[in-house]
Amino acid sequence: MASGEEITVCDDEIRSRYSHLEKMTDLVAVWEVALSDGIHKIEFEHGTTSGKRVVYVDGKEEIRREWMFKLVGKETFTVGASKTKAAINIDAVSGFAYEYTLEINGKSLKQYIENRLKTTNTWILTLGGTDYRIVLEKDTMDVWCNGQKMETAGEFVEDGTETHFTVADHSCCIKAVSSGKRKEGIIHTLIVDNREIPEAVE
């Protein structure tokens, strides 16, 4: 093989590796959304001359519309394992300037995050060199670990409830105990191998 041919092969490899980025010439917005099954990246392309609209979720193209004559509007799609409803609103601000807002489950991203802080608890820990993100959905008591809904066993105990599950052969338990204060409500604590794990803020 001549050295020139080797460079061509390398160029092709580089081109294919970054082809996703090459296509995104009209990228106007990127959001990261924390759901129970993980943190998802949403990217939006808007060609203001061609009217093109492309939505990517975690690098995968979900919507592609070419030659849209109406430059404002809404694109709806789903995100994550539980098919959470999402929408991108495209509004004209002035002249040829546009504003892009993301809605999750019918709420603005800000409202969604504020609500999520009230309805979920998240813990991040490392076991045996592997990182785990554990999420408790307080309304359903569903437990998610690295994108998978976990099999759990719940039981009533003297001071509240315990939800038991296993992660990588480690016994885990989420304890739910009343705070005794009406505004605080129930306190959820994750215990892994008899050790309390601090809650993460996402």
Side-chain angles (χ1 to χ4, degrees), residues 123 173 187-199:
W123 297 273
C173 171
I187 297 170
H188 295 87
T189 308
L190 174 65
I191 312 285
V192 178
D193 296 335
N194 298 316
R195 185 172 55 100
E196 187 176 323
I197 306 299
E199 192 175 347

Side-chain angles (χ1 to χ4, degrees), residues 50-86:
S50 67
K52 174 181 79 172
R53 298 179 191 174
V54 186
V55 176
Y56 296 93
V57 177
D58 298 325
K60 182 177 173 277
E61 188 176 296
E62 292 295 322
I63 295 172
R64 175 175 287 274
R65 300 192 201 291
E66 303 282 352
W67 301 106
M68 299 280 292
F69 293 105
K70 192 174 178 192
L71 293 176
V72 295
K74 182 183 245 186
E75 292 298 336
T76 57
F77 53 99
T78 61
V79 180
S82 56
K83 303 270 183 228
T84 302
K85 291 178 186 169

Side-chain angles (χ1 to χ4, degrees), residues 128-141:
T130 304
D131 292 336
Y132 294 95
R133 178 178 177 268
I134 297 173
V135 178
L136 168 69
E137 293 179 352
K138 295 180 200 175
D139 53 350
T140 59
M141 293 304 287

